[in-house]
């Protein structure tokens, strides 16, 4: 299946197909120098499969986790390309989850003012969310994603077969992002997840429906000036929890915890039930006083308020400007 993302001067295709990883060389122009970035939590065979189809591959494996989204890792990747003689005609390919994707895309965006970037997401979270839309970033000063750019991939290859090597916890963390999008934008997708008795069998449909939601949003608002903020449901509080816990929770788990405080009574009941069904955390242990400093540094802060996505009914949302102290009072 090919899902086109239609953006002015930046359109690209998402290829969603089982086994597409083994056909990377047919889908991507790899007859050049290619930096293949992965992490040590991703089965090495995935990056090796891609590298075997490149003319001049340079595989770099970074440590798993948010710690790799740093200026130090960025510098290392840039130096690797510079030392290898990469030019503007060469490319970067990410093979992994959201951390690898964000880091690799930012590297591609700043090397020689931008070279080709391709994304091959291998986690459910990155397949349904972070692999498309063009957000790139590294963490800095203890704040998540505070340094980055908007830089669209030239193509995205999604192979659902790569999900077979994920742990149950990693899979559920990715499902949290699909739940997030369904809660704001698609009651049918939410119902599918809510009532599923065969999640593995339903995954390809869940990925497709989630991608269609995000495609629709980023096509209308590529640089997060308005509608795209809907994708931040659960993220303002979730990012603060994630930063405070230093990697103890996966990103999707933090988003799961961040949704309930900004959901209305009816929506909260259904969201909580579906989080419990998939063994996702929903209770926040941190106090408002602990969360507040990180929310004050959130990219979504506008002077004295932060734009919060609220869900009163499943499948619908509204934006509300809140003072950070009022937001943490909901926790």
């Amino acid at each position: 299946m090919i899902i086109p993302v239609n953006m002015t001067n930046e359109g690209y295709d998402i290829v969603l197909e089982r086994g597409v990883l083994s056909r990377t060389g047919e889908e991507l122009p790899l007859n050049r120098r290619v930096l293949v970035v992965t992490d040590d939590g991703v089965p090495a065979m995935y990056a090796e499969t891609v590298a075997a189809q490149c003319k001049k591959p340079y595989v770099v494996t970074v440590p798993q986790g948010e710690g790799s989204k740093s200026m130090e890792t960025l510098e290392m990747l840039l130096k690797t390309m510079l030392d290898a003689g990469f030019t503007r005609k060469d490319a970067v390919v990410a093979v992994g989850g959201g951390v690898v994707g964000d880091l690799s895309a930012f590297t591609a965006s700043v090397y020689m003012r931008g070279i080709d970037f391709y994304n091959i997401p291998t986690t459910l979270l990155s397949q349904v969310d972070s692999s498309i839309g063009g957000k790139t970033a590294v963490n800095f000063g203890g704040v998540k994603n505070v340094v980055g750019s908007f830089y669209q991939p030239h193509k995205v290859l999604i192979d659902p077969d790569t999900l077979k090597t994920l742990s149950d916890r990693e899979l559920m963390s990715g499902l949290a992002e699909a739940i997030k999008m369904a809660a704001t934008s698609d009651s049918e997708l939410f119902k599918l997840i809510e009532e599923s008795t065969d999640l593995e069998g339903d995954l390809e449909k869940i990925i497709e429906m989630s991608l269609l939601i995000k495609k629709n949003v980023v096509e209308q608002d590529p640089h997060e000036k308005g509608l795209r903020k809907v994708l931040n449901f659960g993220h303002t509080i979730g990012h603060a929890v994630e930063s405070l816990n230093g990697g103890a929770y996966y990103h999707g788990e933090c988003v799961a915890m961040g949704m309930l405080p900004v959901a209305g009574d009816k929506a909260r009941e259904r969201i909580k039930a579906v989080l419990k069904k998939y063994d996702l955390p929903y209770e926040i242990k941190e106090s408002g006083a602990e969360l507040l400093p990180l929310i004050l540094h959130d990219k979504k802060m506008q002077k004295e308020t932060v734009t919060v996505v609220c869900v009163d009914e499943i499948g619908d949302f509204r934006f509300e400007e809140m003072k950070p102290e009022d937001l943490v009072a909901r926790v």
Side-chain angles (χ1 to χ4, degrees):
M1 173 184 294
I2 296 178
I3 300 174
V5 181
N6 301 308
M7 306 173 71
T8 305
N9 301 324
E10 298 179 315
Y12 54 93
D13 287 338
I14 304 165
V15 180
L16 172 59
E17 186 178 316
R18 292 189 182 276
V20 73
L21 181 71
S22 64
R23 298 189 297 97
T24 302
E26 299 173 23
E27 297 288 345
L28 307 181
L30 303 177
N31 190 30
R32 48 181 164 170
R33 291 180 184 85
V34 180
L35 183 73
V36 181
V37 185
T38 189
D39 71 43
D40 57 16
V42 177
M45 61 182 175
Y46 294 163
E48 291 166 1
T49 298
V50 174
Q53 299 173 74
C54 301
K55 182 179 180 180
K56 293 183 178 179
Y58 297 81
V59 179
V60 177
T61 304
V62 301
Q64 183 179 17
E66 281 287 320
S68 286
K69 280 175 60 173
S70 67
M71 299 296 283
E72 292 75 18
T73 309
L74 171 67
E75 183 178 357
M76 179 272 291
L77 294 177
L78 292 172
K79 190 174 188 305
T80 298
M81 287 194 290
L82 191 62
D83 290 347
F86 273 59
T87 71
R88 288 180 174 173
K89 295 182 179 180
D90 297 317
V92 176
V93 177
V95 182
V99 168
V100 168
D102 285 0
L103 172 66
S104 304
F106 188 43
T107 303
S109 77
V110 296
Y111 186 77
M112 293 190 172
R113 297 193 178 95
I115 64 174
D116 290 353
F117 171 66
Y118 302 94
N119 206 336
I120 306 178
T122 62
T123 66
L124 182 57
L125 188 149
S126 57
Q127 289 182 358
V128 302
D129 184 46
S130 62
S131 63
I132 66 168
K135 278 188 176 182
T136 85
V138 294
N139 306 329
F140 183 72
V143 181
K144 184 177 171 68
N145 295 338
V146 74
V147 177
S149 61
F150 285 97
Y151 195 70
Q152 303 297 334
H154 281 63
K155 201 169 195 177
V156 179
L157 306 184
I158 296 178
D159 187 343
D161 285 343
T162 62
L163 302 179
K164 293 176 181 178
T165 56
L166 295 182
S167 68
D168 287 345
R169 185 183 171 195
E170 288 172 317
L171 196 66
M172 294 308 106
S173 174
L175 187 65
E177 286 283 0
I179 293 168
K180 170 208 77 175
M181 285 188 277
T184 63
S185 306
D186 191 338
S187 59
E188 288 303 310
L189 174 57
F190 194 93
K191 186 177 180 181
L192 172 62
I193 298 169
E194 189 177 44
E195 298 180 355
S196 177
T197 57
D198 178 16
L199 183 64
E200 184 177 351
D202 290 333
L203 273 180
E204 202 162 343
K205 188 63 176 177
I206 290 170
I207 295 168
E208 178 191 347
M209 293 177 75
S210 299
L211 287 171
L212 290 174
I213 292 170
K214 186 155 188 182
K215 158 190 158 70
N216 179 58
V217 170
V218 300
E219 284 177 346
Q220 295 182 65
D221 183 15
H223 298 123
E224 200 171 320
K225 301 297 185 183
L227 176 63
R228 188 165 174 169
K229 294 177 183 179
V230 68
L231 299 172
N232 292 323
F233 178 51
H235 280 63
T236 304
I237 292 172
H239 276 169
V241 171
E242 190 170 0
S243 295
L244 282 172
N245 283 277
Y249 292 107
Y250 290 143
H251 175 69
E253 293 174 331
C254 296
V255 171
M257 288 185 272
M259 286 191 277
L260 293 185
V262 288
D265 291 341
K266 288 184 180 179
R268 187 184 305 117
E269 184 177 341
R270 289 181 68 186
I271 293 170
K272 183 176 180 179
V274 81
L275 294 178
K276 290 177 72 174
K277 174 179 179 176
Y278 294 106
D279 200 25
L280 282 160
Y282 54 87
E283 293 182 339
I284 298 172
K285 298 176 182 177
E286 288 73 25
S287 68
E290 291 174 293
L291 297 169
L292 186 58
L294 287 157
I295 290 175
L296 289 170
H297 285 93
D298 193 285
K299 301 183 302 301
K300 296 174 284 297
M301 278 290 296
Q302 303 287 336
K303 294 185 179 179
E304 296 181 354
T305 64
V306 60
T307 303
V308 178
V309 186
C310 299
V311 172
D312 299 316
E313 298 277 352
I314 296 298
D316 198 13
F317 70 92
R318 60 183 172 83
F319 294 127
E320 183 175 336
E321 294 297 321
M322 291 187 191
K323 293 183 177 180
E325 53 269 29
D326 294 335
L327 175 58
V328 299
R330 291 170 167 251
V331 175

